[in-house]
Amino acid sequence: MEYYLQLFINGLVVGSIYSLVALGFVVIYKATKVVNFAQGEMVMVGAYVCFGLTVQLHIPFIWAFLMTLGFSVILGLAVERLALRPLIGEAHICVIMVTIGLSSVLKSIVQLIWGTQIKVYPEVLPSTPIIIAGLPVAPVYIAAFVLSGVLFAVFTAFFKYSRMGIAMRATAHDQQAAQSMGIGIRSIFALSWCIACVVSTVGGVILGNINGINSHLGVLGLKVFPAVILGGLDSLLGAALGGLIIGVLENVCDGLAKDLFDLGGFREVAAFVVLVAILMIKPYGLFGTEEIERV
């Protein structure tokens, strides 16, 4: 039982990171109705930039982290202005193809600068585990879960109470109506990409402190995609819960498969099996908005 409880706790930590990356997917989709397939590469770029500032330039981690967040805002603005703004009004498939191309470009840049070897962050938090419910939990795991929760609370309050957050919700509901009310659609698009880059960067830095990083970190975007679909592409609550559910399922199902059937690698397919089962019952995800067409 302790073994599975440990898997559950680890799954919550991994799931909280999935939730952050899923938040980036949802924010962009809510504002632009576009699925960003470069989200995983944004995680990777943020993680490598923070690593370079901390290890290669010897900047204290806190300052390097803040500088990386600033870089992620600039990256989000650059992507929106240079690659996506010229495509406003074009078919969604065109924008999706651009995000796929962007993922390849970002991965190539990272490999060119940092290579393909695994990079390890310096130890930021003490390695001595903290005992919770009789189980040892690394401080970095606790910090990752708490930080993810705080960020979700902040962004939830931002979307619900701030003027810009309300403008983003209005734009997601009806772009033409929002524009007629004086909301700058282009500014909303730029802000959505900045938010997506920031939350992806935070997720990448957390992963770097837990497992290290390599040039294949961008695959995380595809691993998170089931969490996004499970929760609902346009739901912030769905992104949070979907990420946690997928993280726990991956770890617990993988442990069960190894114990009961001596099967390895079930972690990679567990999320998709559960996703298919749930979508057969709720096609729009757990919290997604159902679209009803009248003919």
Side-chain angles (χ1 to χ4, degrees):
M1 180 59 69
E2 289 185 358
Y3 171 68
Y4 288 107
L5 185 57
Q6 187 75 58
L7 289 177
F8 179 81
I9 294 175
N10 293 344
L12 285 178
V13 174
V14 174
S16 67
I17 300 172
Y18 286 177
S19 297
L20 281 178
V21 182
L23 175 62
F25 274 107
V26 170
V27 167
I28 290 178
Y29 183 81
K30 282 176 69 69
T32 66
K33 298 301 180 185
V34 169
V35 178
N36 175 27
F37 284 99
Q39 197 71 37
E41 279 66 28
M42 290 179 176
V43 173
M44 177 181 64
V45 169
Y48 269 97
V49 169
C50 189
F51 170 83
L53 293 173
T54 304
V55 176
Q56 296 172 314
L57 299 183
H58 306 291
I59 297 174
F61 176 77
I62 296 297
W63 291 108
F65 179 63
L66 295 176
M67 292 170 67
T68 304
L69 294 182
F71 170 83
S72 66
V73 171
I74 296 173
L75 176 62
L77 288 173
V79 169
E80 193 277 333
R81 291 288 178 90
L82 300 178
L84 300 171
R85 183 167 294 188
L87 296 176
I88 290 179
E90 300 293 336
H92 290 324
I93 187 63
C94 297
V95 185
I96 291 174
M97 292 305 297
V98 168
T99 65
I100 294 174
L102 178 64
S103 69
S104 298
V105 171
L106 293 177
K107 182 176 181 179
S108 298
I109 291 174
V110 166
Q111 291 178 340
L112 182 66
I113 297 175
W114 286 283
T116 59
Q117 300 299 317
I118 294 178
K119 308 293 183 182
V120 180
Y121 273 68
E123 190 174 279
V124 177
L125 296 175
S127 58
T128 304
I130 298 173
I131 305 301
I132 298 179
L135 296 173
V137 181
V140 67
Y141 278 41
I142 299 174
F145 187 77
V146 171
L147 180 58
S148 299
V150 169
L151 283 175
F152 254 96
V154 168
F155 280 114
T156 299
F158 169 79
F159 286 116
K160 190 171 184 179
Y161 300 112
S162 71
R163 287 176 59 88
M164 189 61 71
I166 294 172
M168 291 185 72
R169 288 162 54 199
T171 302
H173 181 71
D174 191 324
Q175 292 184 10
Q176 290 185 345
Q179 195 166 19
S180 68
M181 296 298 293
I183 296 175
I185 301 298
R186 293 183 177 182
S187 299
I188 296 299
F189 287 177
L191 180 61
S192 66
W193 279 91
C194 288
I195 292 175
C197 281
V198 167
V199 295
S200 297
T201 292
V202 174
V205 173
I206 292 174
L207 279 175
N209 279 277
I210 294 176
N211 294 327
I213 54 177
N214 59 37
S215 60
H216 298 292
L217 186 59
V219 177
L220 180 69
L222 294 179
K223 294 186 67 175
V224 170
F225 201 62
V228 180
I229 302 299
L230 176 62
L233 262 173
D234 58 354
S235 171
L236 295 178
L237 176 62
L241 294 182
L244 293 175
I245 291 171
I246 294 300
V248 170
L249 282 175
E250 281 187 352
N251 279 267
V252 174
C253 290
D254 188 59
L256 282 171
K258 288 179 179 177
D259 280 354
L260 300 179
F261 307 105
D262 196 24
L263 294 175
F266 190 68
R267 175 195 305 267
E268 306 301 327
V269 299
F272 293 95
V273 172
V274 174
L275 176 63
V276 170
I278 291 179
L279 290 184
M280 290 175 65
I281 303 171
K282 293 184 68 65
Y284 292 94
L286 296 177
F287 299 97
T289 303
E290 295 188 15
E291 296 182 4
I292 301 175
E293 290 189 18
R294 291 181 173 87
V295 295

